[in-house]
Structure formats: C-alpha cells, structure tokens
Amino acid sequence: MKYALRDNKEMKDSGVTGIEMIPVDWTVLKLKQLTDHPLQYGLNESAVDCIDGDPRYIRITDVTRSGSLRSDTVKTMPIEKAQGYLLKDGDLLFARSGATAGKPFMYHDSYGASCFAGYLIRFTPNRDKLLPRFIDFFTQSSYYNNWKNGIFIQATIQNISADKYKELQVPVPPYDQQKRIAYFLNEKTAVIDEVVKKKKKQIELLKEKRAALITQAVTKGLDPNVKMKDSGVEWIGEIPKSWITQPLKRLVRFQSGDGFSETMQGNETGERPFMKVSDINGNGRYVDSAKNFVSVNDGRSQNWHPVPTGSI
C-alpha cells in the first residue's frame, strides 16, 4: 500500500523557525504538552554484570546508530533499585550530556524488562495526543537535529537538560494522520535502509580490494612472472628475487613533534603553520584547511619541515 505525505491541504505559518508552514489542521505543541508525566532523569547507579531475571540497565552507549540496542553490552540492575525507572512500551529516551547529547532511543516491549541510566531522560507520550512512532521519526528529522545543535551553540557545551527538552516544539497532526505518516515512513525508510546496507557492504568489499591491491604491489611488485624468494618475514612471505628487506629505522629518520600550549588562529605575517594529528584525514592526507599557527620567534620552529599536500 502507498501513502501520501499530505493531500494538497491548505497550509499555515507554524510560528516556529525551521518548520515554517504546516497543514491548517496541525498544531504545534511543546514536548511537555504531549505527556502526562514530568520528564524523568535516569537511575544513578553503576552497571553490574548481566543477571538472569533482573531488568536490563540501558545506557546511551548501548544504543546503536540505527536506534536499536547492542547485544554485546548487556548489563542489569537489581529489581529493587530499578523500581520507578522501569520503561514502558513507547517511552522515548534522550541523552542529556557528552558527545551523544540529544541522541534519542525508542523503547519497545520486545527488548524485555528494562530501566535506564542517569545520563538519559525519559519522555512518555500521551497516546491520546501522540503516536510514539511519530515522535520517534520526528527525532530523526533535520529539524530536530538543527534544534539540538542550536542548544549546543547557546550553551557552548554539549548538554541538554530536561528543562530544555520539554520546551522542544513539535508539529502535531491529527492522530489518524500521524498513523498514516508513520506507515509511510516505515515503508520508505525500510527501502532506503536496505540500499544503505548493500552500499556499505560494497564499500567494505572495495576497501578490501584496495588493500589487497596495494599489498600485492608493495610486497610482490608489478611483474607476475618475476622470480621470487623467501623474504624471511612471516607476514610478507615471498618477494621478488632482486628485492631486500630492511628495518624501517635504516631507511628513515624519526623525529618527535613539538608541543605548543597556545596556538594562534589565522595566517598572519610572522607565523608558521604546524600540523596536529587531527589535521590528518582518514586517507592519511594533510587537511589543507587546518588553521594552526605559531610564531616564528619560537626557536623550535626552526626545525620544522614542510608537509607535502599533493600527490606523488
């Protein structure tokens, strides 16, 4: 079955920057208006090993990028401590601090009895107003992501408290439309997710092919008919007869980099650029846009060497 996003309905201004126009029969409500319970911080207890019969203790590190729970990080919490923090089907958890701040997770009964940790905040939708799957999709939208990043800019640190979450403005369609939208997105995102899965597999295979190609060239050469000999190195195996193996220390000069407690931004007269580990990308190349400079008056800069950024 195919579902339309909307049926050419008349639109109105939402009054919310980033959402702009919404159908006239939709409303905009704050998250606190869509629940009958205060947003709740999790349990401040240390995780313990998995004990059969006890509720699972969900931490933000247990949540995968796709929004499911990892199976290799299971911890539990004694039931007497978990009381008051046990999750209900459709509860939405938000990460409140650190690198994962703003990350959402929708709990389902299929995960089994579970409670949640202190760096998470629980939101329980009022099912008369809000379909859990709808708000789950909403937290995957670019609007939500922009709202989250806006909080970080204002606070200068990655932290979103319950007070901030409850002020989050949500466009709310009539309940039957929420169901249609959820069905539509379930269908469409499943197709996209499958394509992404296949592409990731293809990328991994290409990476393996690339590594094998490089290994062949740098350890066997380009001539498939060249005579070979044992390299004497287990992981290399045979090499062309005319090749030799040597320790790297005989071929290059090693030098530790200098540490600078203060850096200056921008390229001004009297400054030299210097490179940090974070300026090297995943392909082992120097990032030209890196902006780290230090005064040429620092004596250590006299020992610097230029970093090539181009190809051979």
Side-chain angles (χ1 to χ4, degrees):
M1 183 181 294
K2 303 297 182 183
Y3 300 91
L5 282 175
R6 60 184 180 86
D7 302 317
N8 298 318
K9 292 186 176 182
E10 185 181 350
M11 306 293 284
K12 67 179 180 181
D13 186 358
S14 69
V16 180
T17 302
I19 297 180
E20 313 307 341
M21 306 300 288
I22 58 174
V24 292
D25 57 345
W26 290 30
T27 58
V28 174
L29 297 173
K30 294 181 178 180
L31 204 63
K32 64 183 179 182
Q33 296 173 296
L34 294 168
T35 180
D36 294 328
H37 307 278
L39 273 66
Q40 181 186 17
Y41 289 103
L43 184 63
N44 287 314
E45 293 284 347
S46 298
V48 297
D49 292 334
C50 184
I51 299 176
D52 289 343
D54 282 343
R56 177 167 183 169
Y57 190 43
I58 298 177
R59 301 152 297 165
I60 195 59
T61 52
D62 298 326
V63 181
T64 67
R65 294 183 65 180
S66 61
S68 59
L69 286 180
R70 295 174 57 180
S71 60
D72 60 338
T73 60
V74 178
K75 300 290 183 181
T76 58
M77 185 61 56
I79 186 63
E80 59 271 15
K81 291 184 178 180
Q83 293 290 351
Y85 300 91
L86 293 172
L87 293 166
K88 301 175 182 178
D89 188 70
D91 278 354
L92 186 64
L93 297 178
F94 293 103
R96 65 184 179 97
S97 61
T100 58
K103 184 177 182 180
F105 167 70
M106 177 67 70
Y107 170 79
H108 301 288
D109 282 344
S110 58
Y111 290 121
S114 303
C115 59
F116 60 109
Y119 285 99
L120 293 167
I121 299 171
R122 168 166 48 187
F123 165 75
T124 300
N126 178 334
R127 289 176 180 256
D128 292 332
K129 298 179 180 179
L130 188 64
L131 183 71
R133 189 60 171 147
F134 179 84
I135 190 65
D136 186 23
F137 276 123
F138 174 77
T139 60
Q140 299 173 48
S141 68
S142 58
Y143 167 76
Y144 174 77
N145 191 59
N146 292 337
W147 172 83
K148 175 187 69 176
N149 291 336
I151 295 294
F152 297 156
I153 292 172
Q154 296 170 19
T156 70
I157 59 173
Q158 290 183 312
N159 180 70
I160 307 179
S161 66
D163 285 339
K164 290 186 175 68
Y165 276 119
K166 70 183 184 181
E167 297 299 318
L168 171 63
Q169 293 178 296
V170 181
V172 183
Y175 205 80
D176 63 327
Q177 291 186 45
Q178 293 182 42
K179 289 182 179 180
R180 290 180 61 199
I181 291 169
Y183 282 131
F184 173 88
L185 291 176
N186 277 333
E187 180 181 279
K188 296 299 183 182
T189 57
V191 174
I192 295 172
D193 291 344
E194 185 61 27
V195 172
V196 170
K197 182 179 179 180
K198 291 179 179 178
K199 292 295 183 182
K200 284 183 177 179
K201 180 63 176 179
Q202 292 174 353
I203 290 171
E204 289 304 313
L205 291 174
L206 287 173
K207 286 181 178 179
E208 291 176 8
K209 183 177 180 179
R210 181 179 186 274
L213 181 67
I214 293 173
T215 300
Q216 175 68 25
V218 300
T219 64
K220 311 299 180 188
L222 301 178
D223 185 355
N225 300 314
V226 69
K227 291 184 178 181
M228 308 291 284
K229 68 178 181 181
D230 185 9
S231 67
V233 181
E234 182 178 356
W235 65 271
I236 294 179
E238 291 189 330
I239 60 174
K241 192 172 181 179
S242 61
W243 290 25
I244 62 173
T245 59
Q246 290 190 33
L248 189 61
K249 64 182 179 181
R250 296 183 183 177
L251 302 172
V252 301
R253 179 171 66 90
F254 292 98
Q255 179 182 0
S256 297
D258 286 311
F260 296 94
S261 59
E262 296 182 2
T263 63
M264 300 179 67
Q265 301 300 312
N267 190 1
E268 299 179 0
T269 303
E271 294 180 354
R272 289 184 179 178
F274 74 94
M275 181 175 66
K276 301 185 298 182
V277 172
S278 58
D279 297 333
I280 303 174
N281 64 24
N283 295 320
R285 296 291 185 267
Y286 176 62
V287 181
D288 292 323
S289 60
K291 303 293 183 182
N292 306 297
F293 296 87
V294 70
S295 172
V296 296
N297 295 325
D298 190 301
R300 293 171 293 178
S301 68
Q302 304 306 314
N303 298 322
W304 290 359
H305 301 284
V307 177
T309 59
S311 65
I312 60 171

